[in-house]
């Protein structure tokens, strides 16, 4: 499980999501918002995303919002809990952002 084997160990005790740790101080808006089911295979999800990106001509540098990496997963008291993050409506914020809307140069929601 990518969450238990990668995301949580790497971000534990930091209070930061994996995406924040990967980007450092550089802030940027996502251009694509993805949706998935927790029970699905992450490799299958990534293959589907890669196929979609190739078909649509989406560049490798396109910023993708993926909740597993965008939200702090650890529940270790160092960052916001999942419940607190959900209360901030991150999904609605990303969907409504100008960067994700296709008419504004984003690639939309996958």
């Amino acid at each position: 499980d990518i969450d238990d084997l990668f995301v949580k160990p790497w971000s534990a005790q930091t209070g930061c999501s994996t995406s924040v740790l990967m980007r450092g101080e550089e802030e940027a808006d996502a251009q694509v918002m993805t949706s998935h089911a927790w029970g699905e295979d992450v490799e299958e999800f990534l293959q589907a995303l890669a196929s979609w990106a190739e078909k649509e001509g989406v560049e490798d540098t396109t910023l993708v919002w993926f909740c597993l990496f965008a939200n702090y997963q650890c529940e270790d008291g160092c960052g916001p809990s999942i419940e607190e993050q959900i209360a901030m409506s991150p999904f609605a914020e990303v969907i409504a952002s100008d960067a994700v809307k296709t008419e504004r140069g984003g690639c939309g929601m996958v």
Side-chain angles (χ1 to χ4, degrees), residues 46-85:
L46 292 174
Q47 287 174 345
L49 185 60
S51 294
W52 171 82
E54 183 177 345
K55 177 184 170 193
E56 298 296 322
V58 177
E59 297 180 16
D60 290 345
T61 56
T62 300
L63 300 176
V64 177
W65 191 91
F66 183 41
C67 63
L68 178 63
F69 299 137
N71 294 322
Y72 187 61
Q73 303 290 328
C74 294
E75 298 283 359
D76 60 6
C78 290
S81 69
I82 297 293
E83 186 176 284
E84 290 169 328
Q85 292 173 85

PDB file of all heavy atoms in Angstrom, residues 46-85:
ATOM      1  N   LEU A  46      -2.265   4.852 -11.931  1.00  0.00           N
ATOM      2  CA  LEU A  46      -1.205   5.605 -12.598  1.00  0.00           C
ATOM      3  C   LEU A  46      -1.121   5.260 -14.085  1.00  0.00           C
ATOM      4  O   LEU A  46      -0.874   6.143 -14.908  1.00  0.00           O
ATOM      5  CB  LEU A  46       0.134   5.367 -11.903  1.00  0.00           C
ATOM      6  CG  LEU A  46       0.234   5.947 -10.490  1.00  0.00           C
ATOM      7  CD1 LEU A  46       1.544   5.530  -9.829  1.00  0.00           C
ATOM      8  CD2 LEU A  46       0.090   7.452 -10.497  1.00  0.00           C
ATOM      9  N   GLN A  47      -1.346   4.007 -14.425  1.00  0.00           N
ATOM     10  CA  GLN A  47      -1.365   3.611 -15.842  1.00  0.00           C
ATOM     11  C   GLN A  47      -2.513   4.309 -16.571  1.00  0.00           C
ATOM     12  O   GLN A  47      -2.345   4.786 -17.696  1.00  0.00           O
ATOM     13  CB  GLN A  47      -1.488   2.097 -15.986  1.00  0.00           C
ATOM     14  CG  GLN A  47      -0.225   1.358 -15.628  1.00  0.00           C
ATOM     15  CD  GLN A  47      -0.420  -0.162 -15.633  1.00  0.00           C
ATOM     16  OE1 GLN A  47      -1.540  -0.662 -15.641  1.00  0.00           O
ATOM     17  NE2 GLN A  47       0.686  -0.874 -15.617  1.00  0.00           N
ATOM     18  N   ALA A  48      -3.676   4.346 -15.932  1.00  0.00           N
ATOM     19  CA  ALA A  48      -4.831   5.013 -16.544  1.00  0.00           C
ATOM     20  C   ALA A  48      -4.555   6.508 -16.712  1.00  0.00           C
ATOM     21  O   ALA A  48      -4.872   7.101 -17.752  1.00  0.00           O
ATOM     22  CB  ALA A  48      -6.085   4.792 -15.698  1.00  0.00           C
ATOM     23  N   LEU A  49      -3.956   7.124 -15.713  1.00  0.00           N
ATOM     24  CA  LEU A  49      -3.620   8.547 -15.784  1.00  0.00           C
ATOM     25  C   LEU A  49      -2.609   8.810 -16.902  1.00  0.00           C
ATOM     26  O   LEU A  49      -2.757   9.757 -17.679  1.00  0.00           O
ATOM     27  CB  LEU A  49      -3.083   9.034 -14.439  1.00  0.00           C
ATOM     28  CG  LEU A  49      -2.788  10.520 -14.305  1.00  0.00           C
ATOM     29  CD1 LEU A  49      -4.032  11.369 -14.538  1.00  0.00           C
ATOM     30  CD2 LEU A  49      -2.183  10.813 -12.937  1.00  0.00           C
ATOM     31  N   ALA A  50      -1.589   7.960 -16.998  1.00  0.00           N
ATOM     32  CA  ALA A  50      -0.576   8.114 -18.046  1.00  0.00           C
ATOM     33  C   ALA A  50      -1.188   7.940 -19.436  1.00  0.00           C
ATOM     34  O   ALA A  50      -0.866   8.684 -20.362  1.00  0.00           O
ATOM     35  CB  ALA A  50       0.559   7.114 -17.829  1.00  0.00           C
ATOM     36  N   SER A  51      -2.087   6.976 -19.569  1.00  0.00           N
ATOM     37  CA  SER A  51      -2.763   6.768 -20.859  1.00  0.00           C
ATOM     38  C   SER A  51      -3.598   7.980 -21.232  1.00  0.00           C
ATOM     39  O   SER A  51      -3.587   8.419 -22.386  1.00  0.00           O
ATOM     40  CB  SER A  51      -3.653   5.528 -20.801  1.00  0.00           C
ATOM     41  OG  SER A  51      -2.884   4.375 -20.658  1.00  0.00           O
ATOM     42  N   TRP A  52      -4.327   8.518 -20.261  1.00  0.00           N
ATOM     43  CA  TRP A  52      -5.138   9.714 -20.505  1.00  0.00           C
ATOM     44  C   TRP A  52      -4.247  10.886 -20.922  1.00  0.00           C
ATOM     45  O   TRP A  52      -4.532  11.580 -21.892  1.00  0.00           O
ATOM     46  CB  TRP A  52      -5.942  10.077 -19.257  1.00  0.00           C
ATOM     47  CG  TRP A  52      -6.611  11.404 -19.367  1.00  0.00           C
ATOM     48  CD1 TRP A  52      -7.790  11.694 -19.987  1.00  0.00           C
ATOM     49  CD2 TRP A  52      -6.102  12.660 -18.877  1.00  0.00           C
ATOM     50  NE1 TRP A  52      -8.049  13.046 -19.906  1.00  0.00           N
ATOM     51  CE2 TRP A  52      -7.035  13.648 -19.233  1.00  0.00           C
ATOM     52  CE3 TRP A  52      -4.960  13.024 -18.165  1.00  0.00           C
ATOM     53  CZ2 TRP A  52      -6.859  14.995 -18.898  1.00  0.00           C
ATOM     54  CZ3 TRP A  52      -4.781  14.356 -17.843  1.00  0.00           C
ATOM     55  CH2 TRP A  52      -5.724  15.320 -18.207  1.00  0.00           C
ATOM     56  N   ALA A  53      -3.144  11.080 -20.187  1.00  0.00           N
ATOM     57  CA  ALA A  53      -2.241  12.194 -20.482  1.00  0.00           C
ATOM     58  C   ALA A  53      -1.639  12.073 -21.880  1.00  0.00           C
ATOM     59  O   ALA A  53      -1.552  13.059 -22.612  1.00  0.00           O
ATOM     60  CB  ALA A  53      -1.134  12.260 -19.430  1.00  0.00           C
ATOM     61  N   GLU A  54      -1.271  10.864 -22.258  1.00  0.00           N
ATOM     62  CA  GLU A  54      -0.714  10.662 -23.603  1.00  0.00           C
ATOM     63  C   GLU A  54      -1.765  10.944 -24.680  1.00  0.00           C
ATOM     64  O   GLU A  54      -1.493  11.637 -25.658  1.00  0.00           O
ATOM     65  CB  GLU A  54      -0.192   9.233 -23.747  1.00  0.00           C
ATOM     66  CG  GLU A  54       0.463   8.981 -25.081  1.00  0.00           C
ATOM     67  CD  GLU A  54       1.037   7.574 -25.196  1.00  0.00           C
ATOM     68  OE1 GLU A  54       1.191   6.885 -24.180  1.00  0.00           O
ATOM     69  OE2 GLU A  54       1.318   7.178 -26.339  1.00  0.00           O
ATOM     70  N   LYS A  55      -2.961  10.428 -24.470  1.00  0.00           N
ATOM     71  CA  LYS A  55      -4.047  10.629 -25.436  1.00  0.00           C
ATOM     72  C   LYS A  55      -4.383  12.108 -25.594  1.00  0.00           C
ATOM     73  O   LYS A  55      -4.635  12.592 -26.702  1.00  0.00           O
ATOM     74  CB  LYS A  55      -5.289   9.859 -24.982  1.00  0.00           C
ATOM     75  CG  LYS A  55      -6.493  10.052 -25.869  1.00  0.00           C
ATOM     76  CD  LYS A  55      -7.702   9.335 -25.304  1.00  0.00           C
ATOM     77  CE  LYS A  55      -8.942   9.732 -26.071  1.00  0.00           C
ATOM     78  NZ  LYS A  55     -10.157   9.335 -25.399  1.00  0.00           N
ATOM     79  N   GLU A  56      -4.381  12.847 -24.498  1.00  0.00           N
ATOM     80  CA  GLU A  56      -4.759  14.266 -24.506  1.00  0.00           C
ATOM     81  C   GLU A  56      -3.580  15.200 -24.785  1.00  0.00           C
ATOM     82  O   GLU A  56      -3.764  16.411 -24.857  1.00  0.00           O
ATOM     83  CB  GLU A  56      -5.420  14.644 -23.178  1.00  0.00           C
ATOM     84  CG  GLU A  56      -6.705  13.900 -22.895  1.00  0.00           C
ATOM     85  CD  GLU A  56      -7.806  14.215 -23.898  1.00  0.00           C
ATOM     86  OE1 GLU A  56      -7.917  15.392 -24.315  1.00  0.00           O
ATOM     87  OE2 GLU A  56      -8.549  13.286 -24.268  1.00  0.00           O
ATOM     88  N   GLY A  57      -2.385  14.657 -24.874  1.00  0.00           N
ATOM     89  CA  GLY A  57      -1.216  15.493 -25.111  1.00  0.00           C
ATOM     90  C   GLY A  57      -0.815  16.330 -23.908  1.00  0.00           C
ATOM     91  O   GLY A  57      -0.260  17.417 -24.064  1.00  0.00           O
ATOM     92  N   VAL A  58      -1.062  15.834 -22.718  1.00  0.00           N
ATOM     93  CA  VAL A  58      -0.729  16.548 -21.491  1.00  0.00           C
ATOM     94  C   VAL A  58       0.772  16.380 -21.218  1.00  0.00           C
ATOM     95  O   VAL A  58       1.286  15.267 -21.220  1.00  0.00           O
ATOM     96  CB  VAL A  58      -1.567  16.019 -20.305  1.00  0.00           C
ATOM     97  CG1 VAL A  58      -1.170  16.702 -19.010  1.00  0.00           C
ATOM     98  CG2 VAL A  58      -3.049  16.210 -20.587  1.00  0.00           C
ATOM     99  N   GLU A  59       1.456  17.475 -20.979  1.00  0.00           N
ATOM    100  CA  GLU A  59       2.900  17.450 -20.764  1.00  0.00           C
ATOM    101  C   GLU A  59       3.270  16.861 -19.405  1.00  0.00           C
ATOM    102  O   GLU A  59       2.496  16.945 -18.451  1.00  0.00           O
ATOM    103  CB  GLU A  59       3.465  18.861 -20.890  1.00  0.00           C
ATOM    104  CG  GLU A  59       3.280  19.446 -22.287  1.00  0.00           C
ATOM    105  CD  GLU A  59       3.848  20.843 -22.400  1.00  0.00           C
ATOM    106  OE1 GLU A  59       4.631  21.253 -21.527  1.00  0.00           O
ATOM    107  OE2 GLU A  59       3.492  21.524 -23.376  1.00  0.00           O
ATOM    108  N   ASP A  60       4.472  16.306 -19.320  1.00  0.00           N
ATOM    109  CA  ASP A  60       4.965  15.709 -18.073  1.00  0.00           C
ATOM    110  C   ASP A  60       5.096  16.723 -16.944  1.00  0.00           C
ATOM    111  O   ASP A  60       5.118  16.351 -15.780  1.00  0.00           O
ATOM    112  CB  ASP A  60       6.331  15.056 -18.299  1.00  0.00           C
ATOM    113  CG  ASP A  60       6.248  13.806 -19.153  1.00  0.00           C
ATOM    114  OD1 ASP A  60       5.144  13.270 -19.342  1.00  0.00           O
ATOM    115  OD2 ASP A  60       7.314  13.365 -19.643  1.00  0.00           O
ATOM    116  N   THR A  61       5.188  17.981 -17.286  1.00  0.00           N
ATOM    117  CA  THR A  61       5.359  19.033 -16.280  1.00  0.00           C
ATOM    118  C   THR A  61       4.034  19.541 -15.716  1.00  0.00           C
ATOM    119  O   THR A  61       4.027  20.399 -14.833  1.00  0.00           O
ATOM    120  CB  THR A  61       6.137  20.223 -16.886  1.00  0.00           C
ATOM    121  OG1 THR A  61       5.432  20.678 -18.046  1.00  0.00           O
ATOM    122  CG2 THR A  61       7.557  19.822 -17.242  1.00  0.00           C
ATOM    123  N   THR A  62       2.914  19.000 -16.204  1.00  0.00           N
ATOM    124  CA  THR A  62       1.592  19.412 -15.735  1.00  0.00           C
ATOM    125  C   THR A  62       1.427  19.018 -14.267  1.00  0.00           C
ATOM    126  O   THR A  62       1.712  17.888 -13.881  1.00  0.00           O
ATOM    127  CB  THR A  62       0.495  18.751 -16.586  1.00  0.00           C
ATOM    128  OG1 THR A  62       0.678  19.157 -17.940  1.00  0.00           O
ATOM    129  CG2 THR A  62      -0.890  19.145 -16.115  1.00  0.00           C
ATOM    130  N   LEU A  63       0.962  19.955 -13.455  1.00  0.00           N
ATOM    131  CA  LEU A  63       0.786  19.700 -12.023  1.00  0.00           C
ATOM    132  C   LEU A  63      -0.550  19.010 -11.772  1.00  0.00           C
ATOM    133  O   LEU A  63      -1.603  19.529 -12.135  1.00  0.00           O
ATOM    134  CB  LEU A  63       0.863  21.012 -11.246  1.00  0.00           C
ATOM    135  CG  LEU A  63       2.184  21.758 -11.405  1.00  0.00           C
ATOM    136  CD1 LEU A  63       2.129  23.090 -10.676  1.00  0.00           C
ATOM    137  CD2 LEU A  63       3.342  20.920 -10.908  1.00  0.00           C
ATOM    138  N   VAL A  64      -0.486  17.841 -11.137  1.00  0.00           N
ATOM    139  CA  VAL A  64      -1.668  17.014 -10.888  1.00  0.00           C
ATOM    140  C   VAL A  64      -1.965  16.986  -9.397  1.00  0.00           C
ATOM    141  O   VAL A  64      -1.081  16.729  -8.581  1.00  0.00           O
ATOM    142  CB  VAL A  64      -1.439  15.570 -11.400  1.00  0.00           C
ATOM    143  CG1 VAL A  64      -2.632  14.684 -11.087  1.00  0.00           C
ATOM    144  CG2 VAL A  64      -1.128  15.572 -12.893  1.00  0.00           C
ATOM    145  N   TRP A  65      -3.215  17.250  -9.036  1.00  0.00           N
ATOM    146  CA  TRP A  65      -3.662  17.171  -7.642  1.00  0.00           C
ATOM    147  C   TRP A  65      -4.188  15.763  -7.404  1.00  0.00           C
ATOM    148  O   TRP A  65      -5.117  15.304  -8.064  1.00  0.00           O
ATOM    149  CB  TRP A  65      -4.763  18.196  -7.379  1.00  0.00           C
ATOM    150  CG  TRP A  65      -5.103  18.380  -5.932  1.00  0.00           C
ATOM    151  CD1 TRP A  65      -4.546  19.280  -5.073  1.00  0.00           C
ATOM    152  CD2 TRP A  65      -6.084  17.667  -5.171  1.00  0.00           C
ATOM    153  NE1 TRP A  65      -5.119  19.170  -3.829  1.00  0.00           N
ATOM    154  CE2 TRP A  65      -6.068  18.176  -3.861  1.00  0.00           C
ATOM    155  CE3 TRP A  65      -6.975  16.630  -5.469  1.00  0.00           C
ATOM    156  CZ2 TRP A  65      -6.897  17.701  -2.863  1.00  0.00           C
ATOM    157  CZ3 TRP A  65      -7.802  16.155  -4.471  1.00  0.00           C
ATOM    158  CH2 TRP A  65      -7.761  16.693  -3.180  1.00  0.00           C
ATOM    159  N   PHE A  66      -3.573  15.054  -6.484  1.00  0.00           N
ATOM    160  CA  PHE A  66      -3.944  13.683  -6.125  1.00  0.00           C
ATOM    161  C   PHE A  66      -4.040  13.657  -4.609  1.00  0.00           C
ATOM    162  O   PHE A  66      -3.040  13.905  -3.922  1.00  0.00           O
ATOM    163  CB  PHE A  66      -2.868  12.731  -6.657  1.00  0.00           C
ATOM    164  CG  PHE A  66      -3.116  11.275  -6.432  1.00  0.00           C
ATOM    165  CD1 PHE A  66      -4.367  10.717  -6.582  1.00  0.00           C
ATOM    166  CD2 PHE A  66      -2.067  10.441  -6.105  1.00  0.00           C
ATOM    167  CE1 PHE A  66      -4.591   9.362  -6.394  1.00  0.00           C
ATOM    168  CE2 PHE A  66      -2.271   9.082  -5.916  1.00  0.00           C
ATOM    169  CZ  PHE A  66      -3.533   8.545  -6.063  1.00  0.00           C
ATOM    170  N   CYS A  67      -5.214  13.395  -4.065  1.00  0.00           N
ATOM    171  CA  CYS A  67      -5.444  13.563  -2.628  1.00  0.00           C
ATOM    172  C   CYS A  67      -4.459  12.789  -1.760  1.00  0.00           C
ATOM    173  O   CYS A  67      -4.074  13.256  -0.697  1.00  0.00           O
ATOM    174  CB  CYS A  67      -6.881  13.221  -2.255  1.00  0.00           C
ATOM    175  SG  CYS A  67      -7.337  11.511  -2.551  1.00  0.00           S
ATOM    176  N   LEU A  68      -4.019  11.627  -2.197  1.00  0.00           N
ATOM    177  CA  LEU A  68      -3.067  10.833  -1.424  1.00  0.00           C
ATOM    178  C   LEU A  68      -1.795  11.624  -1.141  1.00  0.00           C
ATOM    179  O   LEU A  68      -1.216  11.527  -0.070  1.00  0.00           O
ATOM    180  CB  LEU A  68      -2.732   9.538  -2.177  1.00  0.00           C
ATOM    181  CG  LEU A  68      -1.708   8.617  -1.533  1.00  0.00           C
ATOM    182  CD1 LEU A  68      -2.217   8.091  -0.190  1.00  0.00           C
ATOM    183  CD2 LEU A  68      -1.386   7.465  -2.465  1.00  0.00           C
ATOM    184  N   PHE A  69      -1.355  12.412  -2.121  1.00  0.00           N
ATOM    185  CA  PHE A  69      -0.148  13.214  -1.946  1.00  0.00           C
ATOM    186  C   PHE A  69      -0.446  14.634  -1.473  1.00  0.00           C
ATOM    187  O   PHE A  69       0.408  15.266  -0.861  1.00  0.00           O
ATOM    188  CB  PHE A  69       0.637  13.285  -3.253  1.00  0.00           C
ATOM    189  CG  PHE A  69       1.095  11.944  -3.758  1.00  0.00           C
ATOM    190  CD1 PHE A  69       0.990  11.631  -5.096  1.00  0.00           C
ATOM    191  CD2 PHE A  69       1.620  10.994  -2.906  1.00  0.00           C
ATOM    192  CE1 PHE A  69       1.411  10.403  -5.578  1.00  0.00           C
ATOM    193  CE2 PHE A  69       2.048   9.767  -3.365  1.00  0.00           C
ATOM    194  CZ  PHE A  69       1.949   9.464  -4.708  1.00  0.00           C
ATOM    195  N   ALA A  70      -1.627  15.139  -1.751  1.00  0.00           N
ATOM    196  CA  ALA A  70      -1.961  16.527  -1.423  1.00  0.00           C
ATOM    197  C   ALA A  70      -2.429  16.728   0.015  1.00  0.00           C
ATOM    198  O   ALA A  70      -2.292  17.823   0.557  1.00  0.00           O
ATOM    199  CB  ALA A  70      -3.032  17.050  -2.383  1.00  0.00           C
ATOM    200  N   ASN A  71      -2.979  15.698   0.623  1.00  0.00           N
ATOM    201  CA  ASN A  71      -3.464  15.802   2.005  1.00  0.00           C
ATOM    202  C   ASN A  71      -2.493  15.093   2.953  1.00  0.00           C
ATOM    203  O   ASN A  71      -1.913  14.071   2.605  1.00  0.00           O
ATOM    204  CB  ASN A  71      -4.847  15.173   2.141  1.00  0.00           C
ATOM    205  CG  ASN A  71      -5.898  15.925   1.373  1.00  0.00           C
ATOM    206  OD1 ASN A  71      -5.881  17.144   1.310  1.00  0.00           O
ATOM    207  ND2 ASN A  71      -6.813  15.211   0.760  1.00  0.00           N
ATOM    208  N   TYR A  72      -2.350  15.643   4.163  1.00  0.00           N
ATOM    209  CA  TYR A  72      -1.476  15.030   5.173  1.00  0.00           C
ATOM    210  C   TYR A  72      -2.152  13.765   5.680  1.00  0.00           C
ATOM    211  O   TYR A  72      -3.264  13.812   6.209  1.00  0.00           O
ATOM    212  CB  TYR A  72      -1.217  16.030   6.300  1.00  0.00           C
ATOM    213  CG  TYR A  72      -0.199  15.555   7.306  1.00  0.00           C
ATOM    214  CD1 TYR A  72       1.100  15.275   6.898  1.00  0.00           C
ATOM    215  CD2 TYR A  72      -0.524  15.383   8.632  1.00  0.00           C
ATOM    216  CE1 TYR A  72       2.046  14.832   7.811  1.00  0.00           C
ATOM    217  CE2 TYR A  72       0.415  14.959   9.552  1.00  0.00           C
ATOM    218  CZ  TYR A  72       1.700  14.669   9.138  1.00  0.00           C
ATOM    219  OH  TYR A  72       2.635  14.241  10.038  1.00  0.00           O
ATOM    220  N   GLN A  73      -1.503  12.627   5.549  1.00  0.00           N
ATOM    221  CA  GLN A  73      -2.115  11.328   5.825  1.00  0.00           C
ATOM    222  C   GLN A  73      -1.802  10.728   7.197  1.00  0.00           C
ATOM    223  O   GLN A  73      -2.437   9.764   7.607  1.00  0.00           O
ATOM    224  CB  GLN A  73      -1.653  10.312   4.761  1.00  0.00           C
ATOM    225  CG  GLN A  73      -1.946  10.699   3.339  1.00  0.00           C
ATOM    226  CD  GLN A  73      -3.421  10.643   3.008  1.00  0.00           C
ATOM    227  OE1 GLN A  73      -4.166   9.835   3.535  1.00  0.00           O
ATOM    228  NE2 GLN A  73      -3.848  11.522   2.120  1.00  0.00           N
ATOM    229  N   CYS A  74      -0.835  11.247   7.910  1.00  0.00           N
ATOM    230  CA  CYS A  74      -0.265  10.543   9.060  1.00  0.00           C
ATOM    231  C   CYS A  74      -1.146  10.412  10.296  1.00  0.00           C
ATOM    232  O   CYS A  74      -0.993   9.457  11.060  1.00  0.00           O
ATOM    233  CB  CYS A  74       1.063  11.182   9.447  1.00  0.00           C
ATOM    234  SG  CYS A  74       2.297  10.946   8.156  1.00  0.00           S
ATOM    235  N   GLU A  75      -2.014  11.375  10.544  1.00  0.00           N
ATOM    236  CA  GLU A  75      -2.839  11.335  11.763  1.00  0.00           C
ATOM    237  C   GLU A  75      -1.957  11.170  13.008  1.00  0.00           C
ATOM    238  O   GLU A  75      -2.285  10.420  13.918  1.00  0.00           O
ATOM    239  CB  GLU A  75      -3.869  10.198  11.688  1.00  0.00           C
ATOM    240  CG  GLU A  75      -4.877  10.316  10.567  1.00  0.00           C
ATOM    241  CD  GLU A  75      -5.984  11.330  10.830  1.00  0.00           C
ATOM    242  OE1 GLU A  75      -6.029  11.963  11.904  1.00  0.00           O
ATOM    243  OE2 GLU A  75      -6.821  11.488   9.938  1.00  0.00           O
ATOM    244  N   ASP A  76      -0.816  11.888  13.037  1.00  0.00           N
ATOM    245  CA  ASP A  76       0.124  11.749  14.149  1.00  0.00           C
ATOM    246  C   ASP A  76       0.161  12.972  15.064  1.00  0.00           C
ATOM    247  O   ASP A  76       1.021  13.089  15.929  1.00  0.00           O
ATOM    248  CB  ASP A  76       1.525  11.431  13.628  1.00  0.00           C
ATOM    249  CG  ASP A  76       2.077  12.517  12.701  1.00  0.00           C
ATOM    250  OD1 ASP A  76       1.432  13.582  12.551  1.00  0.00           O
ATOM    251  OD2 ASP A  76       3.152  12.291  12.117  1.00  0.00           O
ATOM    252  N   GLY A  77      -0.779  13.899  14.865  1.00  0.00           N
ATOM    253  CA  GLY A  77      -0.846  15.089  15.706  1.00  0.00           C
ATOM    254  C   GLY A  77       0.107  16.201  15.291  1.00  0.00           C
ATOM    255  O   GLY A  77       0.103  17.273  15.884  1.00  0.00           O
ATOM    256  N   CYS A  78       0.926  15.965  14.280  1.00  0.00           N
ATOM    257  CA  CYS A  78       1.880  16.988  13.826  1.00  0.00           C
ATOM    258  C   CYS A  78       1.294  17.903  12.761  1.00  0.00           C
ATOM    259  O   CYS A  78       1.845  18.955  12.483  1.00  0.00           O
ATOM    260  CB  CYS A  78       3.148  16.325  13.283  1.00  0.00           C
ATOM    261  SG  CYS A  78       4.113  15.557  14.592  1.00  0.00           S
ATOM    262  N   GLY A  79       0.213  17.472  12.153  1.00  0.00           N
ATOM    263  CA  GLY A  79      -0.436  18.255  11.110  1.00  0.00           C
ATOM    264  C   GLY A  79      -1.928  18.106  11.242  1.00  0.00           C
ATOM    265  O   GLY A  79      -2.419  17.447  12.166  1.00  0.00           O
ATOM    266  N   PRO A  80      -2.657  18.681  10.323  1.00  0.00           N
ATOM    267  CA  PRO A  80      -4.120  18.573  10.410  1.00  0.00           C
ATOM    268  C   PRO A  80      -4.576  17.128  10.216  1.00  0.00           C
ATOM    269  O   PRO A  80      -3.974  16.368   9.454  1.00  0.00           O
ATOM    270  CB  PRO A  80      -4.605  19.464   9.262  1.00  0.00           C
ATOM    271  CG  PRO A  80      -3.464  19.522   8.304  1.00  0.00           C
ATOM    272  CD  PRO A  80      -2.230  19.412   9.134  1.00  0.00           C
ATOM    273  N   SER A  81      -5.627  16.758  10.914  1.00  0.00           N
ATOM    274  CA  SER A  81      -6.199  15.419  10.755  1.00  0.00           C
ATOM    275  C   SER A  81      -6.922  15.345   9.408  1.00  0.00           C
ATOM    276  O   SER A  81      -7.219  16.376   8.795  1.00  0.00           O
ATOM    277  CB  SER A  81      -7.185  15.123  11.886  1.00  0.00           C
ATOM    278  OG  SER A  81      -8.338  15.945  11.749  1.00  0.00           O
ATOM    279  N   ILE A  82      -7.203  14.141   8.982  1.00  0.00           N
ATOM    280  CA  ILE A  82      -7.963  13.967   7.743  1.00  0.00           C
ATOM    281  C   ILE A  82      -9.304  14.677   7.881  1.00  0.00           C
ATOM    282  O   ILE A  82      -9.739  15.382   6.976  1.00  0.00           O
ATOM    283  CB  ILE A  82      -8.169  12.469   7.418  1.00  0.00           C
ATOM    284  CG1 ILE A  82      -6.825  11.777   7.184  1.00  0.00           C
ATOM    285  CG2 ILE A  82      -9.106  12.288   6.237  1.00  0.00           C
ATOM    286  CD1 ILE A  82      -6.078  12.228   5.955  1.00  0.00           C
ATOM    287  N   GLU A  83      -9.945  14.524   9.027  1.00  0.00           N
ATOM    288  CA  GLU A  83     -11.243  15.166   9.273  1.00  0.00           C
ATOM    289  C   GLU A  83     -11.132  16.690   9.157  1.00  0.00           C
ATOM    290  O   GLU A  83     -11.982  17.342   8.546  1.00  0.00           O
ATOM    291  CB  GLU A  83     -11.758  14.765  10.652  1.00  0.00           C
ATOM    292  CG  GLU A  83     -13.153  15.246  10.950  1.00  0.00           C
ATOM    293  CD  GLU A  83     -13.658  14.734  12.293  1.00  0.00           C
ATOM    294  OE1 GLU A  83     -14.027  13.546  12.361  1.00  0.00           O
ATOM    295  OE2 GLU A  83     -13.658  15.527  13.249  1.00  0.00           O
ATOM    296  N   GLU A  84     -10.086  17.269   9.746  1.00  0.00           N
ATOM    297  CA  GLU A  84      -9.882  18.720   9.668  1.00  0.00           C
ATOM    298  C   GLU A  84      -9.638  19.161   8.223  1.00  0.00           C
ATOM    299  O   GLU A  84     -10.141  20.204   7.791  1.00  0.00           O
ATOM    300  CB  GLU A  84      -8.693  19.140  10.533  1.00  0.00           C
ATOM    301  CG  GLU A  84      -8.950  19.016  12.017  1.00  0.00           C
ATOM    302  CD  GLU A  84      -7.696  19.183  12.852  1.00  0.00           C
ATOM    303  OE1 GLU A  84      -6.596  18.809  12.397  1.00  0.00           O
ATOM    304  OE2 GLU A  84      -7.828  19.692  13.983  1.00  0.00           O
ATOM    305  N   GLN A  85      -8.891  18.357   7.476  1.00  0.00           N
ATOM    306  CA  GLN A  85      -8.612  18.700   6.083  1.00  0.00           C
ATOM    307  C   GLN A  85      -9.873  18.620   5.232  1.00  0.00           C
ATOM    308  O   GLN A  85     -10.121  19.494   4.394  1.00  0.00           O
ATOM    309  CB  GLN A  85      -7.531  17.779   5.517  1.00  0.00           C
ATOM    310  CG  GLN A  85      -6.171  18.031   6.161  1.00  0.00           C
ATOM    311  CD  GLN A  85      -5.161  17.019   5.721  1.00  0.00           C
ATOM    312  OE1 GLN A  85      -4.553  17.193   4.668  1.00  0.00           O
ATOM    313  NE2 GLN A  85      -4.982  15.964   6.505  1.00  0.00           N
TER     314      GLN A  85
END
